[in-house]
Amino acid sequence: MSDSTLAGQFFDAAIGLLERVRDEESGNIAAAGAAIADTVAAGGRLFAFGAGHSSLAAQDVVYRAGGLALMNLLAVPGTVGVDVMPATLGSALERVDGLAGAVLDSSPARAGDVLVVISLSGRNALPVDMAMNARALGLKVIGVTSVAYADGTRSRHASGGFLRDHCDIVLDSKISIGDAELTAEGIGAPFAPASTVVTSAVMQAMMAAAVEQLVARGIEPPMLRSGNVDGGHEWNGRVMTEYRDRIFYRR
């Protein structure tokens, strides 16, 4: 039964996007999962990066119940959340050339690792530089972005390229330019963004694909349990001790 309220319309829009991504991106999600499984099996490390609200989807796969313990957040100071003051500084930092290279050079990332770069528009200097520098260092780069932006906006990177142009694997979130699903009379701007819902789902689907691949190869995935269930802390302690050379959020 259809719900005509604005809340119901948002749910319908989000569900429709999730169904599109499931149906149209299944091959790319499987490829991304295989790349992560390859890296885990080879003893490599995993990193996720996003700036602004794209950082939410990156954080969603790092140090969480039901998550792969080996995923680390590659953070660029000032761009991870809206707690930076003023909040607009984060947006400005996304357009700074050279910042990504400095962060990567001082990070533990090395050749053979995987970096997931999340950027809805994929047009700013920071995510494009991050992908370019990571590939130059020998990392495999998975980009999570909206291809619509690359088709309908101008790049802000000096090369004129978008994130999608510098990735080994691209996952398209299908989000429309502007990231607002609803319009209504009396409201001057479109509203109700769905990018966080969809991008987080893409990330979790990718991780599920990686876990599936590892199990198929006879490798037990190092998963984290909830600390709010009995035995969870003890389980997580054992996992983190065993894989301490590939986990960087404890240091």
Side-chain angles (χ1 to χ4, degrees):
M1 182 174 179
S2 179
D3 185 344
S4 62
T5 67
L6 291 178
Q9 289 176 36
F10 175 75
F11 278 116
D12 288 344
I15 290 168
L17 284 164
L18 290 168
E19 289 177 338
R20 272 194 70 195
V21 172
R22 179 198 62 195
D23 296 342
E24 298 175 17
E25 294 297 306
S26 59
N28 292 327
I29 289 171
I36 290 172
D38 288 343
T39 300
V40 172
R45 290 84 64 82
L46 308 173
F47 300 90
F49 162 78
H53 285 91
S54 291
S55 72
L56 297 175
Q59 294 178 62
D60 194 45
V61 294
V62 177
Y63 182 54
R64 66 157 303 141
L68 194 61
L70 303 184
M71 183 61 80
N72 301 278
L73 183 67
L74 185 63
V76 176
T79 70
V80 177
V82 294
D83 56 333
V84 62
M85 295 296 290
T88 51
L89 175 61
S91 298
L93 289 173
E94 288 188 62
R95 304 181 190 184
V96 174
D97 292 327
L99 184 56
V103 169
L104 271 171
D105 288 345
S106 59
S107 79
R110 64 189 184 192
D113 293 343
V114 162
L115 173 61
V116 184
V117 179
I118 306 164
S119 174
L120 178 62
S121 72
R123 69 190 297 225
N124 288 313
L126 184 55
V128 177
D129 274 346
M130 190 67 76
M132 293 176 67
N133 280 273
R135 291 180 88 187
L137 290 172
L139 279 76
K140 177 157 282 190
V141 176
I142 299 168
V144 184
T145 188
S146 169
V147 171
Y149 278 85
D151 293 335
T153 66
R154 289 184 180 180
S155 171
R156 290 177 175 146
H157 190 264
S159 70
F162 286 77
L163 172 60
R164 71 167 185 182
D165 301 318
H166 302 285
C167 299
D168 298 287
I169 301 166
V170 176
L171 308 182
D172 182 5
S173 64
K174 315 295 181 181
I175 300 295
S176 299
I177 296 173
D179 190 20
E181 295 302 317
L182 303 183
T183 58
E185 187 176 347
I187 303 174
F191 59 99
S195 62
T196 302
V197 173
V198 176
T199 305
S200 291
V202 169
M203 294 292 288
Q204 293 297 346
M206 177 185 70
M207 300 309 288
V211 167
E212 183 178 33
Q213 283 274 344
L214 287 167
V215 171
R217 302 177 195 193
I219 300 171
E220 182 178 357
M223 310 304 296
L224 295 174
R225 290 179 179 268
S226 171
N228 296 314
V229 300
D230 292 341
H233 284 299
E234 292 76 14
W235 172 281
N236 293 342
R238 289 192 297 270
V239 171
M240 290 182 185
T241 297
E242 182 176 353
Y243 293 93
R244 59 185 175 273
D245 60 328
R246 299 154 75 180
I247 293 174
F248 303 102
Y249 47 79
R250 295 190 72 193
R251 301 179 183 179

